[in-house]
Amino acid sequence: KNQVEQSPQSLIILEGKNCTLQCNYTVSPFSNLRWYKQDTGRGPVSLTIMTFSENTKSNGRYTATLDADTKQSSLHITASQLSDSASYICVVSAILSGTASKLTFGTGTRLQVTL
Amino acid sequence: DGGITQSPKYLFRKEGQNVTLSCEQNLNHDAMYWYRQDPGQGLRLIYYSQIVNDFQKGDIAEGYSVSREKKESFPLTVTSAQKNPTAFYLCASSFWAELSNQPQHFGDGTRLSIL
């Protein structure tokens, strides 16, 4: 069964500090891994997409890493801001056939950045 | 601005009543999706559509119905057969042929509650 597990479930950090969120998956055959940011009461917004051959991808202060061998990914947030307070969702895409794929969503890490 | 519009933002349903959630996109995307989000769970796929006049069941289609008469629109009806409809419903769209490496764009959701 395809699964995506995220840790920690929630996290509180001080503004300006860095943090790292973890994602472990058991999805196959693997196509790509995505990180989304979801503000409370809003829809998720894409941060990064990484394929099998990519180890690192950055989007501003967000840097995602992927280790396809150990089936682990991390999202590192640098110099956190109050606006980073949100849920971060890891999503793994599995190839079904041809161009068809299936997404498995993690339950998210709830990040709160405080003063 | 291109994007996905979901309406209404909040919706209340009486017992035995069908309700329809609206989703419109102007991104010229081929594929559209409906997800359900419950606390502590990852997003679950209800229905998806690759092209006009065609749609497929997702993982939790029971008690729901959809139509795709126009490329821009993908309304979801929550029928009285859905016994636990209280949830946050998210609509998304993407380019189907390149789904593997293209992000899904999400609307801001509709929160459905039972009166």
Side-chain angles (χ1 to χ4, degrees):
Chain A
K1 179 182 178 183
N2 289 340
Q3 287 187 314
V4 175
E5 296 184 354
Q6 294 187 244
S7 62
Q9 196 170 30
S10 62
L11 182 62
I12 301 175
I13 62 173
L14 292 175
E15 185 181 30
K17 298 296 185 181
N18 303 336
C19 68
T20 300
L21 314 181
Q22 300 291 340
C23 174
N24 296 338
Y25 62 92
T26 55
V27 174
S28 64
F30 177 87
S31 175
N32 60 67
L33 185 144
R34 310 153 183 230
W35 283 95
Y36 282 86
K37 177 187 179 186
Q38 185 177 22
D39 292 317
T40 300
R42 305 291 298 274
V45 174
S46 178
L47 295 175
T48 64
I49 296 178
M50 288 184 294
T51 60
F52 184 88
S53 60
E54 296 174 294
N55 301 119
T56 302
K57 183 165 279 190
S58 293
N59 179 358
R61 294 179 296 102
Y62 300 101
T63 299
T65 65
L66 173 64
D67 186 334
D69 292 331
T70 62
K71 299 187 177 180
Q72 296 180 326
S73 176
S74 65
L75 180 69
H76 186 75
I77 304 175
T78 304
S80 62
Q81 300 175 359
L82 295 178
S83 60
D84 292 330
S85 296
S87 288
Y88 292 84
I89 302 173
C90 177
V91 185
V92 183
S93 176
I95 299 168
L96 293 179
S97 62
T99 57
S101 61
K102 180 177 174 59
L103 301 182
T104 301
F105 290 78
T107 57
T109 291
R110 177 70 193 170
L111 173 65
Q112 183 177 348
V113 180
T114 65
L115 293 171
Chain B
D1 284 343
I4 300 179
T5 302
Q6 290 188 241
S7 62
K9 191 161 182 64
Y10 299 95
L11 188 58
F12 299 91
R13 195 190 91 169
K14 295 180 180 179
E15 295 287 343
Q17 185 181 50
N18 294 351
V19 292
T20 298
L21 285 60
S22 171
C23 177
E24 303 277 335
Q25 56 98 0
N26 60 5
L27 298 167
N28 198 32
H29 284 164
D30 308 299
M32 298 186 74
Y33 314 80
W34 275 105
Y35 292 94
R36 170 180 171 140
Q37 187 173 36
D38 295 282
Q41 296 191 44
L43 273 68
R44 291 181 291 168
L45 182 64
I46 304 173
Y47 267 99
Y48 66 97
S49 168
Q50 300 177 44
I51 57 173
V52 174
N53 293 323
D54 183 63
F55 47 83
Q56 307 294 329
K57 292 182 178 180
D59 299 319
I60 55 165
E62 185 175 352
Y64 301 97
S65 66
V66 294
S67 63
R68 186 86 185 275
E69 298 177 0
K70 298 186 301 182
K71 185 176 184 177
E72 302 79 17
S73 178
F74 192 41
L76 173 74
T77 297
V78 184
T79 74
S80 57
Q82 172 50 241
K83 298 307 179 186
N84 185 24
T86 297
F88 189 49
Y89 290 87
L90 287 161
C91 179
S93 69
S94 71
F95 291 111
W96 179 258
E98 300 175 58
L99 175 64
S100 291
N101 294 321
Q102 294 294 319
Q104 290 187 354
H105 295 258
F106 286 85
D108 277 339
T110 292
R111 187 166 297 282
L112 175 63
S113 302
I114 298 300
L115 289 176

